[in-house]
Amino acid sequence: MSNPLSSIIINRDDHCVSRKNISSAALKVLYRLHDKGFKAYLAGGAVRDLILNIQPNDFDIVTNATPLEIKKIFKNCRIVGRRFTLAHIFFKGEIIETSTFRAPITKKNSNKKNTQIMTANDGLVVRDNLFGTPEEDALRRDFTVNALFYDPINFTIIDYANGLNDVKLKKIKTIGSPQRRFIEDPVRMIRAVRFASTLSFNIDKKDFHTIKKNAYLIQNVSSSRMYDEMQKLFFSGSSNEMYKILEESNLLKYIFVDFYKWVNEDSKRLNWINSSLNQLDKWINAGLKVDAPLLFALIFGEYHETMIEKKIDNNKNTFDLTRRVINDHLNSICSQIRIPKTIIYQVCDIMTYQIRFKKMNPKQSSRIAQSTGFINAFLYLKFSSKILLRNENVLYYWQEIRNDNSLKTTSKKIGSQKRITKRFKK
């Protein structure tokens, strides 16, 4: 890690961060900690986003109070985490994550006798609860743009890592040695991609070269953590740009091994990927909710269909074959990304619905259209029909069924409202 830098203090008149844009819950935590005699700052991505006039999704706080001290102050607090011990302070509809200032990891404090720090033989940090100063905490963070603090008492921004300048330059840059930082936590490589794509920033050239060289390290990350990171990437609203950076950085071939090989066998297959990610981004940026089963069904759709076609046999049940092929593929991914079994089951449902759709049986259509998995399966049908120019008559049929069911539902509600009105009149 680089030598400590002198902090730069940006006064209220020289920045655009306003308390009006900060969560009231976060402000309560900040002021309460100050009232109890502790230092407490708004930290990381929230400060970065506020400077960029983006409303943050989360408001994280750093303090010199330990997790146990935080718990004593807030009854609505729960201590979580093993790798990093944190305090989650619960408010209605919001959780304020509060962490204690941490010290940098050095060879001196990462020895086997230190129970607060634990590293694997390859340098991967598996436990880190060594507390430090605000400056140490800032300089041990991943990227300069995430090392900014906001002090709510005097309304200043504290910059220890020249992060404000990198925000202006639209640059994602690691603090200290990128080689060491990515070995400590390979997820930082994925975070660099996510920040670059969502903020329309560029990754520092040296950092990007280091990511390409160390992309294989992503295989060391726990599969459950990778699942969380994948959702953040694909549900970011800029997944198309993100996919390109993942590919350019060599990360993609270590995340989706077989799928990556299949895509690269034929450049035309990128059309499905680009189109599905564009559609995903449109839905998310329009404020529509997209769940994980539809996400995986869309991304792997053409791949799954190709694998199924290769194994089709007239003597075999296409319905069962479809479920087996998809189940086998998604389970093979679980060693790298632990996709929950319920999600895998629902992806199988989406694809087997495509077989049901083609039958267009009037006796069963209404029941199918009212089933739990229908909407996701219908959205897949609509997307695949448009991209592959197929099944137009099937899509039209189910669109009519869906519209008819919507009318029936509406008329039932109106009828119910009329009956209620009559009762009140009596």
Side-chain angles (χ1 to χ4, degrees):
M1 185 173 292
S2 60
N3 293 326
L5 302 174
S6 299
S7 63
I8 299 172
I9 307 296
I10 298 94
N11 293 319
R12 176 67 189 90
D13 294 338
D14 299 320
H15 66 76
C16 62
V17 176
S18 170
R19 285 176 298 168
K20 293 178 182 178
N21 298 321
I22 299 174
S23 155
S24 60
L27 289 173
K28 285 178 184 177
V29 174
L30 287 164
Y31 290 140
R32 186 83 182 274
L33 286 167
H34 275 283
D35 290 344
K36 293 295 182 179
F38 295 103
K39 289 181 180 179
Y41 303 133
L42 189 67
V47 182
R48 177 202 67 220
D49 288 350
L50 288 168
I51 291 169
L52 292 167
N53 291 312
I54 299 171
Q55 187 58 31
N57 293 321
D58 302 299
F59 293 89
D60 296 340
I61 290 171
V62 286
T63 177
N64 59 343
T66 65
L68 288 175
E69 288 172 330
I70 296 168
K71 189 170 176 61
K72 287 180 182 179
I73 297 171
F74 298 95
K75 292 181 180 179
N76 53 330
C77 174
R78 183 185 301 164
I79 296 176
V80 299
R82 183 179 178 184
R83 184 173 184 270
F84 300 112
T85 304
L86 305 164
H88 278 180
I89 304 174
F90 292 80
F91 293 86
K92 189 176 181 181
E94 189 174 5
I95 299 172
I96 303 300
E97 187 171 281
T98 307
S99 62
T100 307
F101 295 128
R102 285 186 165 80
I105 300 161
T106 64
K107 290 181 180 179
K108 184 178 179 180
N109 63 30
S110 64
N111 59 59
K112 292 182 180 179
K113 294 180 181 179
N114 193 335
T115 58
Q116 304 295 354
I117 294 287
M118 189 181 294
T119 58
N121 292 332
D122 55 5
L124 174 72
V125 177
V126 292
R127 186 179 299 166
D128 172 12
N129 288 306
L130 191 70
F131 303 138
T133 65
E135 181 180 23
E136 287 174 329
D137 186 87
L139 294 177
R140 69 175 294 286
R141 289 173 178 264
D142 49 10
F143 306 108
T144 59
V145 297
N146 292 338
L148 297 164
F149 295 158
Y150 174 74
D151 188 339
I153 302 304
N154 54 26
F155 319 124
T156 58
I157 290 175
I158 308 169
D159 183 2
Y160 288 105
N162 203 28
L164 196 60
N165 187 58
D166 286 335
V167 170
K168 292 175 182 177
L169 294 174
K170 295 189 174 184
K171 182 193 294 185
I172 301 298
K173 184 179 181 181
T174 54
I175 298 172
S177 164
Q179 178 75 14
R180 179 178 175 183
R181 304 317 301 277
F182 295 144
I183 288 175
E184 286 176 352
D185 186 0
V187 164
R188 287 171 178 154
M189 296 187 287
I190 292 179
R191 283 168 60 82
V193 172
R194 175 157 59 88
F195 293 138
S197 59
T198 55
L199 299 172
S200 297
F201 279 24
N202 293 313
I203 299 175
D204 178 80
K205 288 182 179 180
K206 182 180 178 182
D207 288 12
F208 193 76
H209 175 74
T210 307
I211 291 172
K212 291 182 75 172
K213 187 175 71 173
N214 293 279
Y216 69 94
L217 292 173
I218 208 66
Q219 297 171 109
N220 297 336
V221 179
S222 72
S223 57
S224 57
R225 194 173 175 210
M226 279 295 291
Y227 178 72
D228 292 337
E229 289 299 325
M230 285 300 102
Q231 290 197 90
K232 290 176 185 177
L233 281 174
F234 285 106
F235 290 144
S236 65
S238 55
S239 62
N240 208 338
E241 180 61 25
M242 170 276 301
Y243 186 91
K244 293 175 185 174
I245 303 174
L246 280 179
E247 189 171 29
E248 291 169 2
S249 63
N250 291 335
L251 286 167
L252 196 64
K253 68 179 179 181
Y254 294 106
I255 297 172
F256 300 125
V257 181
D258 294 334
F259 177 69
Y260 176 82
K261 291 177 183 176
W262 177 80
V263 172
N264 280 289
E265 286 173 2
D266 187 348
S267 59
K268 292 179 181 178
R269 290 168 180 167
L270 279 172
N271 180 54
W272 175 279
I273 306 299
N274 293 331
S275 299
S276 62
L277 295 178
N278 271 330
Q279 183 62 67
L280 188 66
D281 291 341
K282 284 179 182 178
W283 283 333
I284 290 169
N285 291 323
L288 300 177
K289 186 180 179 181
V290 182
D291 56 21
L294 182 57
L295 164 67
F296 289 115
L298 281 177
I299 293 171
F300 299 124
E302 190 176 27
Y303 175 69
H304 285 160
E305 290 188 20
T306 304
M307 296 300 105
I308 293 164
E309 285 174 8
K310 283 182 179 180
K311 296 185 179 183
I312 281 181
D313 186 321
N314 292 329
N315 298 321
K316 290 184 178 179
N317 188 311
T318 307
F319 193 90
D320 291 342
L321 175 66
T322 298
R323 297 197 77 89
R324 188 169 67 252
V325 168
I326 295 168
N327 190 69
D328 288 349
H329 171 241
L330 295 182
N331 273 305
S332 72
I333 292 175
C334 287
S335 60
Q336 182 62 38
I337 302 170
R338 188 182 295 172
I339 305 173
K341 289 183 179 179
T342 53
I343 302 298
I344 294 175
Y345 187 86
Q346 289 173 61
V347 176
C348 291
D349 281 348
I350 290 171
M351 300 307 291
T352 51
Y353 263 98
Q354 308 310 308
I355 301 170
R356 291 176 178 174
F357 285 157
K358 291 177 183 179
K359 294 180 180 179
M360 295 186 283
N361 188 333
K363 292 182 180 180
Q364 298 179 0
S365 296
S366 182
R367 179 176 57 82
I368 290 173
Q370 294 177 46
S371 59
T372 306
F374 173 77
I375 293 298
N376 277 347
F378 176 77
L379 289 172
Y380 181 91
L381 170 67
K382 193 173 182 180
F383 172 77
S384 61
S385 298
K386 177 184 175 182
I387 299 304
L388 301 178
L389 302 175
R390 68 182 188 187
N391 298 330
E392 290 183 11
N393 60 324
V394 178
L395 176 61
Y396 178 79
Y397 174 85
W398 286 102
Q399 182 70 65
E400 291 298 301
I401 293 294
R402 188 184 178 208
N403 291 340
D404 186 48
N405 275 357
S406 297
L407 287 172
K408 286 179 181 178
T409 303
T410 304
S411 64
K412 282 182 182 179
K413 288 181 180 179
I414 292 171
S416 177
Q417 288 171 357
K418 284 181 178 179
R419 288 193 294 273
I420 291 168
T421 304
K422 284 180 180 179
R423 288 175 191 169
F424 276 108
K425 283 182 178 180
K426 289 178 181 179

